[in-house]
Amino acid sequence: MEALKEQVEEKKKVIATLRNQPWRMKRRLVVLKEAQEFVERFEGALGKGRGRKLYAFKVMMAKKLIKFKRDFENFKTACIPWERKIKDVESHFGSSVASYFIFLRWMYGLNLVLFGLMFGLVMLPEILMGLPYGSIPRKTVPREEQPTAMDYSVLFEFGGYCKYSFLFYGYYDHERTIGLLQFRLPLSYLLVGVGIFGYSLMVVIRTMARNANEGGDGAEEGDFTFSWKMFTSWDYLIGNPETADNKYASITTSFKESIVDEQENQKDENIHLRRFLRVLANFMIISCLGGSGYLIYFVVKRSQEFAKSENANLSWFEKNEVEFVMSLLGLVCPPLFETIAELEDYHPRIALKWQLGRIFALFLGNLYTFLFALFDEVNAKLESEKSIKNSTEWIYNQYHANYSSFFNTTDVSIILYTVVEFVKLIVSDIQVTYLTILIGDFVRAVTVRFLNYCWCWDLEAGFPSYGEFDISGNVLGLIFNQGMIWMGAFYAPGLVGLNVLRLLTSMYYQCWAVMCCNVPHERVFKASRSNNFYMGLLLLVLFLSLLPVVYTIMTLSPSFDCGPFSGQEKMYDVVMETIEQDLPAFIGNIFTYATNPGLIMPAVLLMVLALYYLNALSKGYQQANLDLKRKMQMARDEEKNRRNNKDSTNQVMKDLEDLLPNKSLAPPPIEEDKSPKTKPGAARKGVNLQKDVSLAAPNPRAPVTRAPGPRRGPPGNARGPQPGPGRGRGRGGPPRQ
Amino acid sequence: MGNKQTIFTDEQLDAYQDCTFFTRKEILRLHGRYHELAPHLVPMDYTKDPDCKLPLALIVNMPELKENPFRNRIVESFSEDGMGNLSFNEFVDMFSVLSEMAPRELKAIYAFKIYDFNVDNYLCKEDLEKTLNKLTKEELTPEEVELVCQKAIEEADLDGDNKLSFADFENMITRAPDFLSTFHIRI
């Protein structure tokens, strides 16, 4: 009975792994049929006896589940958009350019979900069940702004009706429950705001984990250069003749380069000059970064002074100075960094990593400086608002009727002001990106194409020629844009919707631009082995954008007149209130116990210990891995040498041989200097290149229990150290006699 | 779903879904592609398992394969007779192995078969030379070709017989970071 059950299980497993078997299709179909018949026949038989109905029910449910999962998978694949477009791009440009578009599509999916959450749980209830526009002060455009509220220029800057709409934080009412269903809007707002981060975090980590498995375990860079070049350099996705030609040329070049590398000796470099140049380059770049941070701070302060003065007679430039300066910095600095980096003379892949790191530091620095400058202003205004609040309350007690008119004349909600600035920045960033593509790629391509007829040198082959698609720049831009969206989503619910639109248009626009104006890359360097480099960057950006939001939730007390948390001391008081009033008493008790420091400290301690333990475990595995590699290497070399009838080049084996009975009576021969530290695959004269064994050192961890050298005494007692890698592994060798 | 298609029975479609990495819609689409290669030869009704094979010349003209230097070897590796004549089953099998969802080990097996030009289950020097010449369109000098093949064998050969067995090849290719992304055809 048991055996039968096992057989059924086995057959089921065979069916599940059928597609992974390297069999001919016919054989698979035959095996599938057999296995399915077997399972059906005997599953019925197993169901005899007690629990037969239950077993039959379980089996039926399992079958339904499989069918449901399959239908769902089919549905999901059918829903994936833009498959044709991406395939087109792939066949023309190869897999690395297409990876950007695949990343863009993934972002679009993520943003759709976030938008769904925000819209369904926050915006829709407020629109449907909340108080309509105009009923309370925070939802109305103030009297003095009303004449211009519908102007396009004002709307474009998110003032006017836009500012007082559901797109921004200020519109939401702080009533505890709204509408018929008693929907708790403030609570929902807070939870959705936090949930957005939680969901994004989960999705990013899940994707990273999935990619990590594909990355291939870490073989050394130099181990398989030629083999990998030979077997993995052709991109099977290429379907376009031009691209194929390009690829042939680049593969040939790459082989020639590797051959030259192998045959050349190490260049006699002036190390000091190189180091000095690198230090100089880094110094220049750091001063650039510092300068750009200071410039932004200065410009933000200036714009606040402009805002204090009369609004009407400011030029467009002065009004949008901040965005203009930030976009300019984002455009000018990366090429500048690249030029400075020429001093450093790194291998292209390493240079690419440095470049990406520096661009990252630039964007991050700019963004945080911008935020700090704004926060400074916010704090200053909050101070003044506090004094207004005290006097207002006094007035409120005295003149109830004048309450609403008083509000119409004061500057409400500083946070709203900050958020509007932020949103303007994001929008201008998007505009600049699109403009850059238009000018940098399209106009350039058009001029090269048409001016070529009447120009003295060949514009297409020489300068400026057609542009290549800048993968890393675009991916970074996308990541930073997402970071800004995450930062702003809590205070401007409409921002996520805006981002969905942006990603959608980006997809079509960039697909068109790349097919129309770009040429395939001449040389392809990936920044990392798997896509995890960019995912890791995204994760970092997620955490960094979480910080300001958490800070404001925890420390800033909300304005007392706008937003869903007005009236509370701190924003998270909404949650406390709900726990106290709506949930049964014992849950409140549980929370009080759980947030007791006496409980939290041991929990944190436990997590730290777990981290330490897992770290030690992983180090242990890595060491075991290295040992295994060494063993394989040694075995391989031994085989080779045996076939070539050479003496062993392995130090350990040599020492072992020396320790053999008759040899040990003679003094040890003076060896030629065989330094075990030769780089693997180091260049030697001539075509025959032999890899030196660099791993010949004995196991450094174990103590050497006896020194090598000539020994006295009868051969019978001369028990050498244990065979195998690493001498003295058995602690405490044979005792001396 | 209820798409009333008459090309395959439902059991056939389910069986294909179990044996390949494709969904129902993709299998039907693949049949469309197979059919349009030779509309007069390929029947629209596959419910009776017709015995129809398309020759190599038709298949390597597909846009996905046309520019691939190894297209002949790819089709030959998946054909039962070794001459490149593919039935629909083998056609689906080929694209299933080359699809995104196939695991590394499976791809390594077929990659080995593809690069084994003389079909002796070893990648000997001649195989490597042919591979290299196809990759570079014979732009390298004979000495350079010799050097590269020699180095490749040295790097990957574990048992020291001067040619690459499947174990050697697999050990080398599964660590390659680019293998999965380049050994991929999207259909």
Side-chain angles (χ1 to χ4, degrees):
Chain A
M1 183 70 164
E2 274 306 312
L4 196 58
K5 208 170 194 182
E6 260 184 54
Q7 275 187 320
V8 170
E9 289 303 312
E10 217 184 284
K11 289 286 184 201
K12 279 199 190 149
K13 215 192 310 175
V14 164
I15 297 181
T17 58
L18 203 49
R19 25 173 108 92
N20 294 339
Q21 304 288 2
W23 298 336
R24 298 265 175 230
M25 195 61 153
K26 254 195 209 145
R27 182 173 165 196
R28 275 191 223 158
L29 288 169
V30 163
V31 168
L32 176 71
K33 207 158 188 196
E34 272 179 24
Q36 276 177 337
E37 276 172 6
F38 186 86
V39 166
E40 269 193 45
R41 206 177 340 139
F42 286 105
E43 244 174 358
L46 277 179
K48 296 224 165 59
R50 301 174 290 165
R52 179 193 0 182
K53 283 229 173 72
L54 183 64
Y55 186 75
F57 179 72
K58 272 202 293 194
V59 162
M60 192 194 70
M61 288 311 287
K63 276 208 194 119
K64 279 212 157 62
L65 185 68
I66 292 180
K67 180 155 195 329
F68 173 74
K69 272 205 279 202
R70 176 170 291 164
D71 282 340
F72 186 63
E73 279 298 321
N74 284 354
F75 174 69
K76 268 204 311 191
T77 345
C79 275
I80 297 179
W82 305 314
E83 192 73 3
R84 291 284 111 200
K85 264 204 196 322
I86 292 187
K87 184 178 167 177
D88 264 339
V89 172
E90 260 173 350
S91 76
H92 273 84
F93 291 92
S95 53
S96 48
V97 169
S99 71
Y100 166 73
F101 288 98
I102 293 177
F103 186 57
L104 179 58
R105 185 172 66 181
W106 181 84
M107 285 286 221
Y108 176 72
L110 173 67
N111 276 284
L112 261 184
V113 173
L114 296 183
F115 176 66
L117 276 177
M118 212 29 142
F119 188 71
L121 291 175
V122 172
M123 288 164 77
L124 209 55
E126 181 68 28
I127 298 174
L128 291 181
M129 298 190 280
L131 300 170
Y133 170 82
S135 51
I136 50 177
R138 71 183 60 176
K139 298 200 183 195
T140 331
V141 178
R143 239 176 259 144
E144 73 231 0
E145 290 184 29
Q146 267 176 3
T148 54
M150 241 344 226
D151 285 354
Y152 182 70
S153 61
V154 172
L155 276 182
F156 201 64
E157 302 195 342
F158 294 100
Y161 282 117
C162 259
K163 193 158 144 187
Y164 295 93
S165 74
F166 58 83
L167 292 175
F168 285 102
Y169 161 86
Y171 183 79
Y172 293 85
D173 199 9
H174 72 287
E175 290 296 320
R176 248 192 98 239
T177 64
I178 52 174
L180 286 170
L181 297 169
Q182 299 291 302
F183 188 80
R184 293 186 180 74
L185 190 70
L187 182 67
S188 148
Y189 195 97
L190 186 67
L191 288 181
V192 166
V194 172
I196 280 182
F197 286 105
Y199 177 75
S200 309
L201 186 65
M202 194 185 75
V203 165
V204 171
I205 291 199
R206 195 172 59 175
T207 314
M208 274 180 90
R210 216 181 291 153
N211 283 346
N213 286 336
E214 287 178 8
D217 61 2
E220 285 302 315
E221 271 280 332
D223 267 0
F224 294 113
T225 325
F226 284 97
S227 328
W228 286 350
K229 275 203 182 26
M230 197 180 285
F231 294 115
T232 64
S233 57
W234 182 264
D235 198 346
Y236 280 51
L237 286 164
I238 293 179
N240 173 277
E242 250 182 60
T243 320
D245 283 336
N246 241 2
K247 194 70 179 168
Y248 285 124
S250 89
I251 289 179
T252 313
T253 317
S254 154
F255 269 116
K256 288 201 169 163
E257 274 177 8
S258 298
I259 294 174
V260 166
D261 270 345
E262 281 290 327
Q263 286 176 338
E264 240 180 37
N265 283 328
Q266 280 293 349
K267 280 193 281 198
D268 245 343
E269 296 269 356
N270 189 347
I271 295 222
H272 299 292
L273 180 67
R274 215 200 234 179
R275 271 199 208 137
F276 170 70
L277 283 176
R278 283 184 186 168
V279 167
L280 180 67
N282 276 316
F283 176 71
M284 283 167 70
I285 288 180
I286 291 182
S287 50
C288 273
L289 288 174
S292 94
Y294 176 70
L295 186 63
I296 291 176
Y297 192 77
F298 174 70
V299 165
V300 171
K301 286 294 181 212
R302 219 160 75 131
S303 86
Q304 268 138 22
E305 280 162 31
F306 285 150
K308 285 206 185 90
S309 65
E310 265 297 302
N311 222 343
N313 44 7
L314 285 176
S315 69
W316 174 87
F317 178 72
E318 277 165 346
K319 273 198 264 197
N320 292 323
E321 204 175 25
V322 179
E323 289 83 30
F324 184 71
V325 164
M326 284 188 81
S327 310
L328 197 69
L329 281 172
L331 264 171
V332 162
C333 287
L336 184 66
F337 290 167
E338 241 181 280
T339 341
I340 296 181
E342 306 251 332
L343 281 176
E344 292 182 330
D345 196 23
Y346 278 127
H347 181 272
R349 183 176 281 131
I350 302 185
L352 180 66
K353 281 201 172 143
W354 275 97
Q355 175 72 359
L356 289 176
R358 284 170 184 150
I359 296 181
F360 186 71
L362 173 76
F363 280 145
L364 210 63
N366 286 358
L367 200 59
Y368 265 65
T369 321
F370 179 71
L371 281 176
F372 279 139
L374 282 182
F375 271 176
D376 261 353
E377 205 48 40
V378 166
N379 277 333
K381 282 200 180 157
L382 273 180
E383 292 297 320
S384 71
E385 196 192 78
K386 272 214 171 74
S387 62
I388 294 180
K389 182 180 178 187
N390 291 335
S391 58
T392 313
E393 281 184 348
W394 183 80
I395 296 175
Y396 174 67
N397 286 333
Q398 306 272 324
Y399 298 100
H400 177 83
N402 288 340
Y403 184 79
S404 52
S405 66
F406 188 86
F407 274 121
N408 278 341
T409 52
T410 43
D411 188 6
V412 296
S413 190
I414 295 90
I415 296 185
L416 192 61
Y417 157 77
T418 315
V419 170
V420 169
E421 286 298 306
F422 200 65
V423 172
K424 273 164 61 181
L425 178 68
I426 294 179
V427 169
S428 88
D429 181 55
I430 296 174
Q431 289 168 334
V432 165
T433 316
Y434 285 1
L435 265 174
T436 330
I437 296 180
L438 196 64
I439 297 180
D441 281 338
F442 183 63
V443 170
R444 173 174 166 183
V446 163
T447 29
V448 167
R449 183 85 154 74
F450 291 113
L451 228 52
N452 208 16
Y453 293 126
C454 50
W455 204 259
C456 23
W457 73 83
D458 189 357
L459 285 173
E460 282 182 2
F463 177 81
S465 82
Y466 300 107
E468 288 180 352
F469 186 77
D470 178 16
I471 305 173
S472 47
N474 273 303
V475 172
L476 275 186
L478 206 61
I479 291 179
F480 275 110
N481 178 61
Q482 188 62 35
M484 292 204 280
I485 299 293
W486 274 324
M487 259 197 245
F490 187 75
Y491 289 104
L495 204 54
V496 189
L498 188 72
N499 199 34
V500 168
L501 274 173
R502 176 249 157 92
L503 287 175
L504 192 62
T505 47
S506 250
M507 185 66 172
Y508 289 106
Y509 183 56
Q510 283 188 302
C511 263
W512 166 78
V514 88
M515 296 292 280
C516 163
C517 326
N518 288 114
V519 287
H521 288 241
E522 275 191 24
R523 318 183 66 194
V524 183
F525 279 111
K526 290 172 89 172
S528 82
R529 295 179 165 223
S530 59
N531 278 329
N532 268 352
F533 179 70
Y534 292 123
M535 278 295 160
L537 218 51
L538 191 63
L539 194 64
L540 185 64
V541 164
L542 175 60
F543 276 121
L544 291 172
S545 54
L546 184 59
L547 289 178
V549 176
V550 168
Y551 174 76
T552 50
I553 291 181
M554 290 301 172
T555 54
L556 287 189
S557 44
S559 314
F560 61 98
D561 48 14
C562 95
F565 308 111
S566 54
Q568 317 269 4
E569 256 308 303
K570 294 265 189 310
M571 293 188 199
Y572 58 82
D573 282 343
V574 171
V575 180
M576 320 287 342
E577 219 188 306
T578 317
I579 296 179
E580 278 165 34
Q581 299 187 1
D582 294 328
L583 299 173
F586 72 89
I587 294 192
N589 281 343
I590 293 180
F591 267 103
T592 331
Y593 289 144
T595 53
N596 187 350
L599 196 63
I600 291 190
M601 291 292 284
V604 169
L605 201 62
L606 191 65
M607 279 198 281
V608 168
L609 286 176
L611 235 117
Y612 176 73
Y613 168 71
L614 285 171
N615 195 20
L617 200 64
S618 106
K619 279 219 175 65
Y621 283 141
Q622 274 176 350
Q623 189 64 36
N625 220 357
L626 270 171
D627 285 341
L628 278 170
K629 269 194 209 167
R630 263 184 233 164
K631 265 193 211 169
M632 272 175 61
Q633 183 89 352
M634 266 180 49
R636 194 214 293 204
D637 288 327
E638 276 313 298
E639 269 297 316
K640 273 202 200 137
N641 288 323
R642 201 157 16 101
R643 281 175 193 276
N644 298 339
N645 286 327
K646 267 207 219 152
D647 269 334
S648 173
T649 54
N650 187 334
Q651 191 63 27
V652 175
M653 298 308 283
K654 263 216 160 92
D655 287 340
L656 270 175
E657 274 183 35
D658 288 339
L659 291 167
L660 285 175
N662 289 324
K663 273 200 182 171
S664 66
L665 293 176
I670 301 171
E671 305 211 16
E672 14 163 341
D673 214 29
K674 250 201 169 61
S675 78
K677 292 211 184 67
T678 328
K679 224 169 55 168
R684 294 247 208 101
K685 289 277 188 291
V687 169
N688 189 15
L689 299 155
Q690 185 85 309
K691 239 202 262 197
D692 275 329
V693 177
S694 61
L695 307 165
N699 188 345
R701 279 191 299 149
V704 177
T705 52
R706 49 172 57 191
R711 280 189 314 258
R712 308 288 150 93
N717 269 350
R719 262 185 279 142
Q722 329 253 333
R727 276 184 295 160
R729 213 182 257 281
R731 283 149 218 261
R736 274 191 184 275
Q737 253 128 3
Chain B
M1 286 267 154
N3 287 340
K4 294 285 181 254
Q5 51 85 25
T6 51
I7 311 176
F8 296 104
T9 64
D10 277 336
E11 290 84 32
Q12 279 179 316
L13 276 178
D14 277 338
Y16 275 128
Q17 283 186 69
D18 273 326
C19 292
T20 66
F21 295 98
F22 289 125
T23 61
R24 183 193 152 96
K25 189 165 156 203
E26 286 163 346
I27 294 172
L28 291 169
R29 191 150 41 96
L30 273 170
H31 179 267
R33 294 296 301 272
Y34 191 67
H35 177 83
E36 78 187 8
L37 288 175
H40 304 296
L41 286 173
V42 176
M44 276 308 273
D45 183 358
Y46 256 76
T47 48
K48 310 277 185 265
D49 266 337
D51 185 20
C52 161
K53 287 189 186 243
L54 292 185
L56 179 84
L58 279 179
I59 304 199
V60 299
N61 271 330
M62 289 179 73
E64 286 85 357
L65 289 175
K66 201 156 45 112
E67 299 298 330
N68 195 317
F70 304 110
R71 53 188 179 274
N72 287 339
R73 279 302 307 151
I74 295 175
V75 179
E76 281 166 16
S77 313
F78 284 96
S79 70
E80 215 168 316
D81 55 9
M83 303 296 290
N85 303 312
L86 293 187
S87 69
F88 180 66
N89 281 342
E90 290 151 359
F91 185 77
V92 170
D93 197 17
M94 175 169 75
F95 284 109
S96 166
V97 168
L98 288 166
S99 77
E100 216 169 4
M101 289 141 313
R104 192 187 292 266
E105 300 77 27
L106 186 62
K107 288 195 183 212
I109 293 175
Y110 281 97
F112 184 73
K113 285 176 66 135
I114 288 175
Y115 295 123
D116 184 10
F117 282 80
N118 53 9
V119 201
D120 61 351
N121 264 349
Y122 283 101
L123 295 179
C124 54
K125 209 156 208 191
E126 290 74 38
D127 292 329
L128 294 185
E129 280 172 9
K130 285 213 186 90
T131 310
L132 189 59
N133 281 326
K134 280 205 190 285
L135 272 179
T136 58
K137 273 196 165 166
E138 312 202 1
E139 289 272 329
L140 294 179
T141 69
E143 295 83 36
E144 289 172 334
V145 170
E146 170 70 29
L147 172 64
V148 171
C149 295
Q150 180 62 34
K151 278 299 292 174
I153 290 185
E154 262 180 42
E155 284 171 356
D157 189 17
L158 290 176
D159 47 19
D161 54 1
N162 236 7
K163 48 190 179 171
L164 302 183
S165 67
F166 177 65
D168 304 332
F169 181 77
E170 193 197 11
N171 175 54
M172 177 266 294
I173 207 85
T174 45
R175 291 165 204 244
D178 291 331
F179 177 56
L180 277 180
S181 60
T182 54
F183 198 70
H184 166 212
I185 293 186
R186 194 188 290 268
I187 182 114

